[in-house]
Amino acid sequence: MPGIVPTAPEQPTDEMGNQLKSPDPRPDAPPDYNSHFVPGPPGASVFPPAGYPRGLPMGYNPQQPSAFSYCQPTSSTHPIQYQPGNYPVPNKPASIIWMPGPTLMADCPPGLEYLKQLDNIHVLQHFEPLEMITHFETNNKYDIKNNLDQMVYIVTEDTDDFTRNAYRTLRPFVLRVSDFMGREIMTMQRPFRCTCCCFCCPSTRQELEVQCPPGITIGFVMDHWNLCRAVYSIQNEKKENVLSVRGPCSTYGCGSDSVFEVKAIDGVSNIGSIIRKWNGLISAMGHADHFDIHFPLDLDVKMKAMIFGACFLIDFMYFERSPQRSSR
């Protein structure tokens, strides 16, 4: 039409031109888009939140992957709540709660301060299932606890394999009593006594020597022959009779406790008791005994230690069962 001047086709605006560029001459090449991101000023440094030291999750150690603590909140701001159920936990031994250490006493042998403030202790023998399966006699171990279930002592037998399995319940043994620091505060020794002679012969009488501290004898526990019941005498370091222990007519009662009465030297006044608790099938198998020992709170601490030692001689003589060997 006249008066109309042909113009060039409209050029894309700068915005469209900046967005679409095709440097690649191939027709199927995708267009190249320029980013509109404009970097802003640098922000303030932000430290990791509590529980993320050095940017790692709390409880995570690259050197010890098994030490990762499960079920731990990652932040105090947003705690994580877990549904009830069992969650995997690291394999670590159960903590032992020990009785608080008492103060040192001038008139008390070292290590017996615990007994000074107790009138009742529990002797718990460890259960050894491997001993039942293999019939191989192992060293006995005991936990000594108070009424609050706090550990007082640990008693371990120290006897070689040949002696244990050759002499079984008649074996001579050494029992070592340790405190919470692992120090040996008491030693109990039982010498070997031949039982093939007459029962009333003095050479066949069982004996237990108690040393506290180790190397210093504080008394003996002597076995006396009796037709009907177990009878013991508790002696001081000079082998003078101080107390006596009288057991029941039958120490193998099924379904009931076995009570050994601790009496004064006159045999009338009752001082305390050593009770072997009946624990059902475990007691019947005779591989994990439980004793309760009672004595007056104001009793001489050395006599408390002697009654404590008499418990182990009673255990070995009457309640320590030898594994039955199969006959062929």
Side-chain angles (χ1 to χ4, degrees):
M1 298 178 62
I4 298 178
V5 180
T7 59
E10 292 185 1
Q11 298 294 331
T13 61
D14 293 341
E15 182 177 354
M16 296 296 294
N18 292 335
Q19 290 182 2
L20 299 174
K21 291 184 180 179
S22 298
D24 196 337
R26 294 178 301 175
D28 57 345
D32 185 14
Y33 293 92
N34 289 337
S35 174
H36 290 277
F37 173 74
V38 178
S45 301
V46 180
F47 294 96
Y52 285 80
R54 299 182 183 177
L56 295 177
M58 180 177 58
Y60 177 75
N61 189 344
Q63 303 298 330
Q64 299 178 357
S66 62
F68 183 82
S69 57
Y70 294 91
C71 305
Q72 294 288 343
T74 57
S75 174
S76 59
T77 306
H78 302 286
I80 299 178
Q81 297 181 357
Y82 293 89
Q83 295 295 328
N86 296 327
Y87 295 91
V89 295
N91 294 328
K92 48 179 161 183
S95 59
I96 299 177
I97 301 176
W98 286 86
M99 179 179 174
T103 57
L104 299 179
M105 304 177 184
D107 58 341
C108 181
L112 295 186
E113 295 87 0
Y114 295 96
L115 294 180
K116 189 77 174 178
Q117 54 184 347
L118 293 175
D119 60 354
N120 180 24
I121 55 177
H122 302 269
V123 179
L124 306 171
Q125 182 180 1
H126 289 201
F127 179 65
E128 299 291 346
L130 186 62
E131 182 177 313
M132 298 178 55
I133 299 174
T134 62
H135 294 174
F136 183 83
E137 190 76 30
T138 59
N139 280 323
N140 289 351
K141 297 179 182 179
Y142 305 84
D143 292 340
I144 315 303
K145 297 185 177 183
N146 58 14
N147 285 334
L148 300 178
D149 202 33
Q150 296 173 333
M151 190 78 72
V152 182
Y153 300 119
I154 292 179
V155 181
T156 56
E157 180 186 359
D158 186 5
T159 310
D160 61 90
D161 294 341
F162 174 78
T163 301
R164 287 196 315 272
N165 290 274
Y167 297 98
R168 298 291 176 170
T169 60
L170 297 176
R171 64 184 181 266
F173 61 76
V174 176
L175 296 178
R176 306 189 185 278
V177 184
S178 306
D179 62 1
F180 73 102
M181 297 184 63
R183 299 176 301 183
E184 184 179 346
I185 56 98
M186 186 189 306
T187 302
M188 292 176 278
Q189 298 180 354
R190 176 199 188 186
F192 176 73
R193 290 288 187 267
C194 180
T195 59
C196 59
C197 303
C198 178
F199 292 112
C200 58
C201 180
S203 62
T204 63
R205 293 167 54 183
Q206 299 296 320
E207 175 183 334
L208 181 74
E209 179 183 358
V210 180
Q211 301 176 358
C212 184
I216 300 179
T217 302
I218 63 173
F220 299 86
V221 180
M222 302 294 298
D223 168 47
H224 296 278
W225 183 84
N226 188 282
L227 183 62
C228 299
R229 64 180 69 238
V231 178
Y232 300 88
S233 63
I234 296 179
Q235 304 173 343
N236 58 16
E237 66 275 9
K238 299 178 182 179
K239 288 200 170 184
E240 299 172 345
N241 293 338
V242 180
L243 300 173
S244 64
V245 180
R246 294 175 61 86
C249 294
S250 176
T251 57
Y252 299 99
C254 180
S256 61
D257 299 341
S258 300
V259 181
F260 293 78
E261 298 178 347
V262 181
K263 295 183 176 293
I265 194 61
D266 57 7
V268 178
S269 303
N270 191 15
I271 302 299
S273 62
I274 302 173
I275 305 175
R276 193 256 189 172
K277 306 294 290 184
W278 174 258
N279 290 330
L281 183 60
I282 296 180
S283 297
M285 294 185 297
H287 289 277
D289 293 319
H290 176 194
F291 290 88
D292 278 357
I293 303 178
H294 301 265
F295 35 62
L297 184 63
D298 57 351
L299 184 66
D300 182 19
V301 69
K302 291 184 179 180
M303 290 299 102
K304 289 183 178 181
M306 294 306 304
I307 298 174
F308 174 58
C311 172
F312 294 97
L313 184 58
I314 293 173
D315 181 33
F316 273 84
M317 290 187 62
Y318 294 102
F319 304 108
E320 180 73 8
R321 303 286 203 280
S322 295
Q324 299 296 328
R325 296 179 178 178
S326 59
S327 58
R328 296 182 180 179

